[in-house]
Amino acid sequence: MTGWKFAFTRRWAGYLALTMLFAAVCAGLGVWQLARRDEALTELSKIDANFDSSPIPVAEALPRLDSFTETQKWLPVMMTGTYLVDDELLVRNRPLNISPGFEVLTPLRLNDGTVFVVDRGWLPTGNEQDAPDVVPAPPAGQVTVVVRLKAGEPTLNNRTASGNQIATINLTDVAGRLDTPTYTGAYGLLDSENPAPLEDRPTAVVKPVRDEGPHLSYAFQWFVFGLLAFVGLGWAIREEYRSVNAADPAERERAGERARRRAAKPRNDAEIEDELVDRQS
């Protein structure tokens, strides 16, 4: 079978189908990485817009107890009330820099009688028990706090907890424990308290690192892999064409020309040394 007829056989049709499938998978992975980059950029835009902005009253930011939109993530809000220390909760399985620990949730009863859940920070797991050794007390009496808003978390069926410990920050479940009108749209990551606590507070949340991740470069790599699949298919077809048509005078002439170009190509030191070794042996 001379000429290009071999390229239209069932075997090469199968190779083409596999190449197209591989390229489609690569393209899909590239698009997925672009989507992940868009998500990362959206998160960064929330940090840029909200994290360092001036606090506003919680009632202005959240007019209803279930109010919250994702565009409000990290938005600072301020409120005045009294901490309900007896209703304090510990959120399990909260590592910080690979160290196991807990987040401390302390409900704050506002002056209008509603309750807002304040995440006062992180504490490490104790040395001898599955709980912090000490939970620093919040300021007593009336306190004005500034927090950054964050959405509540869903319930995870594979996580359990008991007593004053909870597995996730599900605000509906927390409101059920308190049996008091409670904000369920969002909770707050503590930024400041006035007056300040007498003891060192739990480790505060720091501003997230502004990093969109390597998604764009990964997407580019996947698209390149998809293109290289067709380049490889073209190379394989060319090599088989040369093999199938080796007896053709025109192809023999082209093969001779390729051999002459290779012979005229400057050699590097390693190739010269290899040739000398071959001669000696």
Side-chain angles (χ1 to χ4, degrees):
M1 186 180 296
T2 59
W4 292 98
K5 294 180 181 179
F6 72 91
F8 299 95
T9 60
R10 182 176 299 178
R11 176 168 63 92
W12 279 99
Y15 292 158
L16 176 61
L18 289 175
T19 302
M20 293 175 65
L21 176 62
F22 177 79
V25 171
C26 290
L29 291 170
V31 171
W32 173 63
Q33 286 292 343
L34 290 177
R36 292 194 62 189
R37 178 175 182 261
D38 287 341
E39 293 173 1
L41 292 176
T42 299
E43 288 300 311
L44 292 179
S45 68
K46 297 172 188 175
I47 298 172
D48 295 340
N50 297 331
F51 200 92
D52 295 322
S53 61
S54 300
I56 63 175
V58 65
E60 179 181 336
L62 306 175
R64 302 187 313 276
L65 296 182
D66 60 351
S67 296
F68 180 72
T69 63
E70 272 299 316
T71 57
Q72 293 178 302
K73 185 177 181 180
W74 306 116
L75 178 69
V77 298
M78 57 184 174
M79 63 200 78
T80 300
T82 305
Y83 280 118
L84 304 178
V85 181
D86 292 340
D87 295 312
E88 197 166 66
L89 298 171
L90 298 174
V91 190
R92 296 174 55 84
N93 299 317
R94 299 290 162 141
L96 179 65
N97 298 329
I98 75 172
S99 298
F102 297 79
E103 289 183 30
V104 183
L105 299 185
T106 310
L108 184 73
R109 187 190 300 276
L110 308 185
N111 293 336
D112 63 0
T114 60
V115 172
F116 189 90
V117 178
V118 177
D119 186 334
R120 296 180 49 236
W122 179 89
L123 293 173
T125 302
N127 295 320
E128 298 181 0
Q129 73 284 330
D130 188 21
D133 287 333
V134 176
V135 178
Q142 193 169 76
V143 58
T144 298
V145 303
V146 174
V147 301
R148 290 186 171 87
L149 297 180
K150 195 173 181 183
E153 302 171 353
T155 299
L156 300 178
N157 296 327
N158 60 341
R159 291 189 181 181
T160 59
S162 59
N164 72 329
Q165 297 186 10
I166 59 176
T168 62
I169 307 177
N170 185 296
L171 295 175
T172 301
D173 292 345
V174 174
R177 287 173 174 255
L178 299 174
D179 195 24
T180 303
T182 303
Y183 282 85
T184 56
Y187 69 103
L189 304 175
L190 181 62
D191 178 56
S192 65
E193 298 167 305
N194 186 22
L198 299 177
E199 308 174 58
D200 290 338
R201 55 166 287 190
T203 301
V205 173
V206 297
K207 186 174 183 178
V209 177
R210 200 183 189 291
D211 180 15
E212 68 179 59
H215 304 300
L216 185 60
S217 62
Y218 285 169
F220 177 76
Q221 290 174 20
W222 281 119
F223 292 140
V224 170
F225 289 157
L227 291 174
L228 288 178
F230 288 101
V231 173
L233 180 67
W235 178 87
I237 292 176
R238 185 196 64 179
E239 291 301 305
E240 181 151 342
Y241 174 85
R242 291 174 177 176
S243 176
V244 168
N245 297 277
D248 182 75
E251 182 57 31
R252 285 203 304 270
E253 182 178 348
R254 286 192 291 269
E257 179 61 26
R258 290 193 296 271
R260 287 190 293 272
R261 285 200 299 268
R262 285 194 297 268
K265 182 180 178 182
R267 295 178 297 170
N268 55 40
D269 293 341
E271 291 174 335
I272 295 173
E273 290 174 0
D274 290 342
E275 182 178 344
L276 291 175
V277 171
D278 292 339
R279 289 177 180 177
Q280 291 175 358
S281 61

